Amino acid sequence: MTGFLKHSPCFHSKVLRSNDFKSSCNDPFLHVAGKIDMNHLRADDVHEALCCGFNTWFECSNSMIKRECTAEGARVGREFHNNTLGPLTDLFCPFDVFPGGSSSCKRVMNAAKPKSGSKPAENTISKLAIQYVPFMFTSSSKN
């Protein structure tokens, strides 16, 4: 825990609050989550979209933390994730099944890309992400 407390100021000031993080990591996830229409998609498609969106977000955020807060900071951030959300994301969205850079995840992410400058679509899933972890999932259009 002391490692997380040591690095968390950098996470917040240099990554989570930055417009680059919001537009590069958060917006793509929020676009994917916001485009999910539970009434018109099969459960497997919803699962794939959420997992690809989350794992792409995680890879993006980890890369930015490594760049801005050192490799040690990235390791601590991954460790924090693994100790808090890890069991859930490992169970539902394992990285070896839904790697963010895979061709299927790239297809999902590209299909959700909005027209230039438009804010992410909203639905129950994206609203929950913003409501429960706003410091992580605030979109660039809500500075």
Side-chain angles (χ1 to χ4, degrees):
M1 187 61 143
T2 57
F4 180 77
L5 294 175
K6 175 184 171 188
H7 291 280
S8 67
C10 182
F11 299 162
H12 288 280
S13 66
K14 293 186 177 180
V15 178
L16 299 176
R17 290 185 185 159
S18 76
N19 284 331
D20 187 27
F21 174 74
K22 292 173 184 176
S23 63
S24 298
C25 302
N26 286 358
D27 285 356
F29 171 74
L30 293 172
H31 283 296
V32 167
K35 293 241 180 192
I36 293 172
D37 181 348
M38 300 299 279
N39 297 317
H40 295 98
L41 288 176
R42 295 180 354 217
D44 287 346
D45 295 333
V46 171
H47 185 209
E48 179 183 43
L50 284 175
C51 289
C52 285
F54 179 81
N55 288 349
T56 300
W57 172 86
F58 184 80
E59 289 172 3
C60 178
S61 60
N62 193 57
S63 174
M64 289 187 83
I65 289 171
K66 185 175 183 178
R67 184 180 73 221
E68 298 295 331
C69 303
T70 73
E72 171 69 11
R75 185 194 63 74
V76 168
R78 279 191 314 276
E79 191 174 273
F80 178 78
H81 167 267
N82 292 342
N83 290 334
T84 55
L85 297 174
L88 258 170
T89 57
D90 288 347
L91 177 65
F92 293 106
C93 299
F95 283 98
D96 59 333
V97 177
F98 301 100
S102 69
S103 59
S104 62
C105 283
K106 286 180 181 177
R107 179 184 42 76
V108 167
M109 299 304 288
N110 285 333
K113 277 187 181 174
K115 293 183 174 117
S116 177
S118 68
K119 72 179 207 169
E122 291 185 341
N123 66 13
T124 304
I125 297 167
S126 61
K127 287 178 182 177
L128 284 172
I130 292 169
Q131 180 178 352
Y132 288 107
V133 281
F135 65 93
M136 292 172 66
F137 290 119
T138 303
S139 88
S140 62
S141 63
K142 296 180 182 178
N143 292 323

